[in-house]
Short mmCIF file of all heavy atoms in Angstrom, two decimals:
data_model
loop_
_atom_site.label_atom_id
_atom_site.label_comp_id
_atom_site.label_asym_id
_atom_site.label_seq_id
_atom_site.Cartn_x
_atom_site.Cartn_y
_atom_site.Cartn_z
N ALA C 1 3.49 7.82 -136.23
CA ALA C 1 2.09 7.65 -136.64
C ALA C 1 1.13 8.17 -135.50
O ALA C 1 0.14 8.83 -135.81
CB ALA C 1 1.79 6.16 -136.90
N LYS C 2 1.51 7.80 -134.24
CA LYS C 2 0.65 8.26 -133.16
C LYS C 2 0.69 9.81 -133.09
O LYS C 2 -0.36 10.48 -132.84
CB LYS C 2 1.13 7.69 -131.84
CG LYS C 2 0.79 6.19 -131.67
CD LYS C 2 1.29 5.73 -130.27
CE LYS C 2 0.92 4.25 -130.08
NZ LYS C 2 1.36 3.76 -128.76
N ALA C 3 1.90 10.34 -133.33
CA ALA C 3 2.04 11.76 -133.30
C ALA C 3 1.15 12.42 -134.40
O ALA C 3 0.53 13.42 -134.15
CB ALA C 3 3.50 12.18 -133.37
N ASN C 4 1.30 11.84 -135.57
CA ASN C 4 0.51 12.40 -136.67
C ASN C 4 -0.98 12.26 -136.35
O ASN C 4 -1.73 13.17 -136.66
CB ASN C 4 0.87 11.66 -137.94
CG ASN C 4 2.27 11.97 -138.42
OD1 ASN C 4 2.81 13.08 -138.12
ND2 ASN C 4 2.93 11.06 -139.16
N GLU C 5 -1.31 11.01 -135.81
CA GLU C 5 -2.69 10.84 -135.48
C GLU C 5 -3.16 11.82 -134.40
O GLU C 5 -4.23 12.37 -134.47
CB GLU C 5 -2.90 9.40 -135.00
CG GLU C 5 -4.40 9.08 -134.83
CD GLU C 5 -4.59 7.57 -134.34
OE1 GLU C 5 -3.55 6.83 -134.21
OE2 GLU C 5 -5.77 7.24 -134.06
N ALA C 6 -2.20 11.97 -133.48
CA ALA C 6 -2.51 12.91 -132.36
C ALA C 6 -2.66 14.35 -132.93
O ALA C 6 -3.58 15.06 -132.51
CB ALA C 6 -1.46 12.89 -131.34
N LYS C 7 -1.74 14.67 -133.86
CA LYS C 7 -1.81 16.04 -134.44
C LYS C 7 -3.16 16.19 -135.22
O LYS C 7 -3.79 17.20 -135.17
CB LYS C 7 -0.66 16.29 -135.39
CG LYS C 7 0.63 16.50 -134.61
CD LYS C 7 1.82 16.72 -135.62
CE LYS C 7 3.12 16.94 -134.91
NZ LYS C 7 4.25 17.21 -135.86
N LEU C 8 -3.47 15.01 -135.98
CA LEU C 8 -4.71 15.04 -136.74
C LEU C 8 -5.89 15.16 -135.82
O LEU C 8 -6.83 15.98 -136.03
CB LEU C 8 -4.83 13.78 -137.61
CG LEU C 8 -6.11 13.68 -138.45
CD1 LEU C 8 -6.16 14.83 -139.43
CD2 LEU C 8 -6.13 12.29 -139.21
N ASN C 9 -5.82 14.32 -134.70
CA ASN C 9 -6.92 14.45 -133.72
C ASN C 9 -6.98 15.83 -133.12
O ASN C 9 -8.02 16.38 -132.85
CB ASN C 9 -6.73 13.35 -132.66
CG ASN C 9 -6.96 11.94 -133.20
OD1 ASN C 9 -7.72 11.74 -134.14
ND2 ASN C 9 -6.29 10.95 -132.58
N GLU C 10 -5.75 16.32 -132.86
CA GLU C 10 -5.61 17.65 -132.23
C GLU C 10 -6.19 18.72 -133.21
O GLU C 10 -6.95 19.59 -132.76
CB GLU C 10 -4.19 18.00 -131.88
CG GLU C 10 -4.04 19.33 -131.14
CD GLU C 10 -2.59 19.64 -130.82
OE1 GLU C 10 -1.68 18.76 -131.07
OE2 GLU C 10 -2.37 20.75 -130.16
N ALA C 11 -5.84 18.51 -134.47
CA ALA C 11 -6.37 19.47 -135.50
C ALA C 11 -7.90 19.36 -135.55
O ALA C 11 -8.57 20.42 -135.58
CB ALA C 11 -5.73 19.25 -136.83
N ASN C 12 -8.32 18.02 -135.59
CA ASN C 12 -9.75 17.89 -135.63
C ASN C 12 -10.48 18.42 -134.31
O ASN C 12 -11.52 19.10 -134.41
CB ASN C 12 -10.10 16.33 -135.76
CG ASN C 12 -9.69 15.82 -137.12
OD1 ASN C 12 -9.66 16.56 -138.12
ND2 ASN C 12 -9.38 14.53 -137.15
N PHE C 13 -9.76 18.20 -133.25
CA PHE C 13 -10.34 18.70 -131.94
C PHE C 13 -10.33 20.27 -131.91
O PHE C 13 -11.34 20.89 -131.47
CB PHE C 13 -9.51 18.17 -130.77
CG PHE C 13 -9.98 18.65 -129.44
CD1 PHE C 13 -11.14 18.11 -128.85
CD2 PHE C 13 -9.25 19.64 -128.75
CE1 PHE C 13 -11.55 18.59 -127.60
CE2 PHE C 13 -9.68 20.08 -127.53
CZ PHE C 13 -10.85 19.59 -126.94
N LYS C 14 -9.17 20.77 -132.43
CA LYS C 14 -9.12 22.20 -132.53
C LYS C 14 -10.22 22.80 -133.41
O LYS C 14 -10.85 23.83 -133.09
CB LYS C 14 -7.75 22.71 -133.04
CG LYS C 14 -6.67 22.53 -131.99
CD LYS C 14 -5.31 23.05 -132.49
CE LYS C 14 -4.25 23.01 -131.44
NZ LYS C 14 -2.93 23.50 -131.95
N ASN C 15 -10.37 22.07 -134.59
CA ASN C 15 -11.41 22.57 -135.53
C ASN C 15 -12.77 22.42 -134.84
O ASN C 15 -13.61 23.33 -134.95
CB ASN C 15 -11.36 21.74 -136.77
CG ASN C 15 -10.13 22.05 -137.60
OD1 ASN C 15 -9.55 23.12 -137.53
ND2 ASN C 15 -9.66 21.06 -138.36
N GLN C 16 -13.01 21.28 -134.16
CA GLN C 16 -14.29 21.12 -133.45
C GLN C 16 -14.41 22.15 -132.35
O GLN C 16 -15.52 22.70 -132.16
CB GLN C 16 -14.34 19.68 -132.91
CG GLN C 16 -15.69 19.31 -132.31
CD GLN C 16 -15.69 17.91 -131.79
OE1 GLN C 16 -14.72 17.14 -131.94
NE2 GLN C 16 -16.88 17.49 -131.24
N LEU C 17 -13.25 22.33 -131.63
CA LEU C 17 -13.31 23.24 -130.52
C LEU C 17 -13.54 24.70 -131.05
O LEU C 17 -14.35 25.44 -130.44
CB LEU C 17 -11.98 23.23 -129.74
CG LEU C 17 -11.86 24.12 -128.53
CD1 LEU C 17 -12.92 23.83 -127.48
CD2 LEU C 17 -10.46 24.04 -127.95
N GLN C 18 -12.85 25.02 -132.13
CA GLN C 18 -13.14 26.31 -132.77
C GLN C 18 -14.56 26.49 -133.17
O GLN C 18 -15.14 27.56 -133.03
CB GLN C 18 -12.16 26.54 -133.92
CG GLN C 18 -10.68 26.71 -133.52
CD GLN C 18 -9.78 26.89 -134.69
OE1 GLN C 18 -10.21 26.72 -135.88
NE2 GLN C 18 -8.52 27.20 -134.41
N ALA C 19 -15.08 25.40 -133.76
CA ALA C 19 -16.50 25.43 -134.15
C ALA C 19 -17.40 25.70 -132.89
O ALA C 19 -18.35 26.48 -132.99
CB ALA C 19 -16.92 24.18 -134.88
N GLU C 20 -17.06 24.89 -131.85
CA GLU C 20 -17.81 25.06 -130.62
C GLU C 20 -17.66 26.46 -130.04
O GLU C 20 -18.58 27.10 -129.59
CB GLU C 20 -17.38 24.01 -129.57
CG GLU C 20 -17.73 22.61 -129.94
CD GLU C 20 -19.22 22.35 -129.86
OE1 GLU C 20 -19.91 23.05 -129.12
OE2 GLU C 20 -19.76 21.48 -130.62
N LEU C 21 -16.38 26.89 -130.10
CA LEU C 21 -16.08 28.24 -129.60
C LEU C 21 -16.82 29.29 -130.45
O LEU C 21 -17.29 30.30 -129.90
CB LEU C 21 -14.58 28.54 -129.61
CG LEU C 21 -13.81 27.76 -128.57
CD1 LEU C 21 -12.25 28.03 -128.73
CD2 LEU C 21 -14.19 28.21 -127.14
N ALA C 22 -16.82 29.05 -131.76
CA ALA C 22 -17.54 30.00 -132.65
C ALA C 22 -19.00 30.08 -132.30
O ALA C 22 -19.61 31.10 -132.21
CB ALA C 22 -17.38 29.60 -134.08
N LYS C 23 -19.53 28.80 -132.06
CA LYS C 23 -20.98 28.73 -131.58
C LYS C 23 -21.17 29.52 -130.23
O LYS C 23 -22.12 30.30 -130.10
CB LYS C 23 -21.45 27.28 -131.47
CG LYS C 23 -21.56 26.58 -132.81
CD LYS C 23 -22.03 25.13 -132.55
CE LYS C 23 -22.17 24.39 -133.91
NZ LYS C 23 -22.62 22.99 -133.65
N LYS C 24 -20.21 29.16 -129.35
CA LYS C 24 -20.35 29.85 -128.03
C LYS C 24 -20.10 31.34 -128.19
O LYS C 24 -20.78 32.14 -127.48
CB LYS C 24 -19.33 29.20 -127.08
CG LYS C 24 -19.66 27.80 -126.68
CD LYS C 24 -18.66 27.28 -125.64
CE LYS C 24 -19.00 25.85 -125.21
NZ LYS C 24 -18.03 25.30 -124.25
N ASP C 25 -19.14 31.73 -129.02
CA ASP C 25 -18.92 33.16 -129.22
C ASP C 25 -20.15 33.86 -129.80
O ASP C 25 -20.54 34.90 -129.38
CB ASP C 25 -17.76 33.44 -130.16
CG ASP C 25 -16.39 33.07 -129.50
OD1 ASP C 25 -16.40 33.12 -128.15
OD2 ASP C 25 -15.38 32.86 -130.16
N ALA C 26 -20.75 33.12 -130.78
CA ALA C 26 -21.94 33.64 -131.39
C ALA C 26 -23.07 33.77 -130.32
O ALA C 26 -23.82 34.78 -130.26
CB ALA C 26 -22.41 32.76 -132.52
N LEU C 27 -23.19 32.70 -129.44
CA LEU C 27 -24.16 32.67 -128.44
C LEU C 27 -23.82 33.83 -127.40
O LEU C 27 -24.73 34.53 -126.90
CB LEU C 27 -24.23 31.38 -127.70
CG LEU C 27 -25.19 31.22 -126.56
CD1 LEU C 27 -26.64 31.44 -127.10
CD2 LEU C 27 -25.14 29.78 -125.91
N ILE C 28 -22.53 33.85 -127.10
CA ILE C 28 -22.11 34.93 -126.17
C ILE C 28 -22.36 36.29 -126.71
O ILE C 28 -22.91 37.21 -125.97
CB ILE C 28 -20.59 34.78 -125.84
CG1 ILE C 28 -20.39 33.54 -124.94
CG2 ILE C 28 -20.07 36.01 -125.05
CD1 ILE C 28 -18.97 33.16 -124.71
N ASN C 29 -22.03 36.47 -128.05
CA ASN C 29 -22.34 37.74 -128.68
C ASN C 29 -23.85 38.05 -128.64
O ASN C 29 -24.23 39.20 -128.41
CB ASN C 29 -21.79 37.78 -130.08
CG ASN C 29 -20.25 37.76 -130.11
OD1 ASN C 29 -19.66 38.31 -129.20
ND2 ASN C 29 -19.65 37.16 -131.18
N GLU C 30 -24.59 36.99 -128.94
CA GLU C 30 -26.03 37.18 -128.90
C GLU C 30 -26.54 37.54 -127.50
O GLU C 30 -27.27 38.49 -127.34
CB GLU C 30 -26.71 35.88 -129.42
CG GLU C 30 -28.22 36.00 -129.51
CD GLU C 30 -28.90 34.72 -129.97
OE1 GLU C 30 -28.19 33.76 -130.34
OE2 GLU C 30 -30.15 34.68 -129.96
N LEU C 31 -26.00 36.71 -126.56
CA LEU C 31 -26.43 37.04 -125.14
C LEU C 31 -25.92 38.43 -124.73
O LEU C 31 -26.58 39.16 -124.00
CB LEU C 31 -25.84 35.95 -124.27
CG LEU C 31 -26.48 34.57 -124.38
CD1 LEU C 31 -25.72 33.55 -123.51
CD2 LEU C 31 -27.95 34.60 -124.01
#
């Protein structure tokens, strides 16, 4: 369960990180 939760959290974090990275990439691209 912890692993699944961790995976879920990891997936959520990755998704969030990807979103942040996308924002940052967009900002970087803009900059």
Side-chain angles (χ1 to χ4, degrees):
K2 287 183 178 180
N4 292 331
E5 187 180 0
K7 289 180 179 181
L8 181 61
N9 290 333
E10 186 180 357
N12 292 332
F13 180 75
K14 285 183 177 180
N15 292 332
Q16 186 179 358
L17 183 60
Q18 288 178 354
E20 293 292 332
L21 288 174
K23 290 180 180 180
K24 288 182 179 180
D25 288 338
L27 181 61
I28 289 171
N29 291 330
E30 183 181 354
L31 292 173

